[in-house]
Amino acid sequence: MTGIFQSLPPWLWFVIALVALFLARKPVHQGILALARFFHQSLRLGANAVAASERRLQLRNREVLLAAGREATERHIEREFDRIEGAMKKELAQYPALHRKLCEQLTAIDEDYVRSAEVPPEPTNWAKAIKAVAEIPAKQDPVVGDVLETIHGSMRKAEGKALEAYRESARERHQLLKRMMPAWRSILKSLGKVNKTVATVQQRSKVVDGHMDRYEEILQGSDRAQRMLSSSSLSQFFISAFVLAIAVGGALINFHLIARPMTEMVGGTSYIGNFKVADISALVIILVEITMGLFVMECLRITRLFPVISALSDKLRTRMMWAAFALLFFLATVEAGLAFMREILMQEDLAVSAQLRGAEVAAVDSSVYWITTAAQMGMGFILPFALTFVAIPLENFIASTRTVIGIVTAFFLRLLSVVLRLAGTGSLRIGTLLVRLYDIVIFFPLWLEARFLVWREQAAEKAVVASAVGESTVEESVPVSKASSRSPSRRSAKSASKSSAKLPTNLEEQPS
């Protein structure tokens, strides 16, 4: 039997394969479409699950974003109220003393003003005396002339004394008015300070009103507040990341500044894994400095990375701050000493390399030597304190990273949902395409089937026409009733419908 199959020609194998594919056409179509629908439904279910996860993540991100915004706004409001309270305590706490001082100055000014008023001189008795002398009947009497001359001289003297008294009183009034000027200036200065304080409080109140409006929007969970917080988180993320990159560069410089002296201190031949003990020691010193800086910032309540430190009492928190600062100062001093040691080691290395080359050791100018040494010691002492401020961008980076990761994750989940939906639709279309390709492979048997169906349909139509012609001939020869005359046409219609129902279609109906 095997030899018979092997002796068959290739064209016969091809014909057998076509016939087998033609006979298995309907099951293969159903299998391909069923597999396509399976992948389509599975991918659609996966897309729906991913979309639901994306919606839940969006809600979670919204809650986290609003909570972070609410906390930040509460912190800003608290700081503004602290500043207002400080301004009140600094300026307006002395208002009773200022009020008393102003009252005393105003009382003194009022008294001086009353005393500086011009008082008209009291009328003298000279007018009555002159009137009495003028009424004397004997005006040519020499006694009267002497009396008048005496009166004239006395009036001259009295006029001079009155003028001098008037000038003295005017001088006193001017002195009183001059003494009022410092009091007026002091009052104006005090009122200016009060006005400045009130203006500062009004400005702070406007800032507080803005923070309160934003806080109300955050509590309401409006879309505007969410967009504002999202943009703020993104900007804070990139800014803090940039500052942290700068801080990492400073830490690397600090590491290379103390790595060489640490080799002389702990030995350069000891390893922990693939790392030198000296490098690990230098890295530990830098990390301890950063940690002490974080503690100092936490104790000052500039950052809030550790709620336990913020919850401590003020006395204990102050002690902890001074302890961390003392340790940071000690480590900075140690780094300055290591930097000095590094410069010495570099000079010794240069001298040894020059001796090994056989060259003469050049004398190093002391002025250049102390400049480089001072620069390295200054860098070793300042960099630890500079790394202290890493706590601020670190807090912003940690707070904004959660929001940024949530936004990016939600975006990728949405993208994955779209890809899965497209893949499901593509699998369904690929199944249809495979069905079409299968039909293309067996196009010749399908063509023969189509020709056969057309031939059978034409034969059935010819038979129907022939039967209709025969019945019409019988009706002309033999009259029948109206009811019997309708039956052939009905039978012909039924036979035509049966024949059309039995006719197979050209292509199998495919489920969508």
Side-chain angles (χ1 to χ4, degrees), residues 36-263:
R37 284 193 298 271
F38 170 75
F39 282 110
H40 172 70
Q41 293 176 358
S42 300
L43 293 173
R44 288 296 295 268
L45 289 175
N48 293 332
V50 172
S53 301
E54 188 262 339
R55 287 192 295 270
R56 288 194 298 270
L57 184 60
Q58 287 282 7
L59 293 175
R60 179 59 179 167
N61 290 338
R62 183 185 180 91
E63 294 176 358
V64 171
L65 192 63
L66 293 176
R70 184 171 60 252
E71 182 180 358
T73 307
E74 289 175 354
R75 186 184 302 182
H76 287 303
I77 293 173
E78 182 181 357
R79 289 182 179 178
E80 291 298 331
F81 277 115
D82 290 338
R83 292 173 182 173
I84 292 174
E85 183 181 1
M88 291 292 184
K89 289 181 178 180
K90 182 180 179 182
E91 301 294 339
L92 299 182
Q94 302 176 358
Y95 182 75
L98 179 63
H99 179 72
R100 184 173 61 254
K101 182 179 179 181
L102 289 176
C103 290
E104 293 175 356
Q105 290 178 351
L106 288 174
T107 303
I109 289 172
D110 186 48
E111 293 176 356
D112 292 339
Y113 178 74
V114 172
R115 291 170 58 188
S116 65
E118 183 177 0
V119 180
E122 296 181 358
T124 61
N125 295 325
W126 287 107
K128 296 179 180 179
I130 293 171
K131 183 178 180 181
V133 172
E135 292 177 352
I136 296 175
K139 295 184 179 180
Q140 300 298 328
D141 191 355
V143 178
V144 176
D146 294 339
V147 173
L148 291 175
E149 186 67 26
T150 303
I151 292 172
H152 181 267
S154 300
M155 288 186 67
R156 284 279 186 173
K157 293 180 181 179
E159 182 182 0
K161 291 181 180 180
L163 182 60
E164 186 65 28
Y166 178 76
R167 288 177 178 174
E168 185 65 26
S169 63
R171 189 180 299 109
E172 291 180 359
R173 288 195 302 271
H174 290 167
Q175 290 294 332
L176 291 172
L177 293 173
K178 184 178 180 181
R179 193 172 61 183
M180 290 166 58
M181 290 301 296
W184 279 113
R185 290 173 182 171
S186 178
I187 291 173
L188 291 175
K189 186 176 180 181
S190 300
L191 292 177
K193 290 182 179 179
V194 174
N195 187 20
K196 184 178 179 181
T197 303
V198 172
T200 303
V201 172
Q202 289 178 353
Q203 184 179 2
R204 294 294 181 189
S205 64
K206 291 180 181 179
V207 176
V208 171
D209 290 339
H211 288 311
M212 288 301 297
D213 293 338
R214 189 190 310 172
Y215 186 70
E216 289 177 357
E217 290 185 358
I218 292 173
L219 290 179
Q220 293 174 1
S222 62
D223 295 335
R224 179 177 177 275
Q226 184 181 4
R227 290 193 300 268
M228 181 178 60
L229 292 174
S230 298
S231 60
S232 178
S233 297
L234 290 174
S235 61
Q236 288 294 324
F237 175 78
F238 289 110
I239 292 172
S240 58
F242 178 72
V243 176
L244 285 178
I246 296 175
V248 169
L252 289 176
I253 294 175
N254 197 5
F255 174 78
H256 287 291
L257 191 64
I258 64 175
R260 177 70 176 86
M262 291 298 296
T263 304

Side-chain angles (χ1 to χ4, degrees), residues 398-466:
I398 293 174
S400 59
T401 300
R402 171 66 182 84
T403 304
V404 173
I405 291 177
I407 293 173
V408 174
T409 306
F411 172 75
F412 279 109
L413 287 177
R414 183 175 298 179
L415 183 63
L416 180 61
S417 175
V418 173
V419 170
L420 289 176
R421 290 180 184 275
L422 292 177
T425 305
S427 65
L428 193 62
R429 297 294 179 264
I430 288 173
T432 306
L433 178 63
L434 291 176
V435 169
R436 297 291 183 266
L437 291 176
Y438 188 89
D439 290 342
I440 290 173
V441 173
I442 57 173
F443 73 97
F444 186 71
L446 290 177
W447 179 75
L448 292 178
E449 182 186 14
R451 298 297 298 175
F452 174 75
L453 293 176
V454 170
W455 173 78
R456 192 170 68 176
E457 184 178 356
Q458 291 177 356
E461 290 179 355
K462 290 180 180 180
V464 171
V465 171

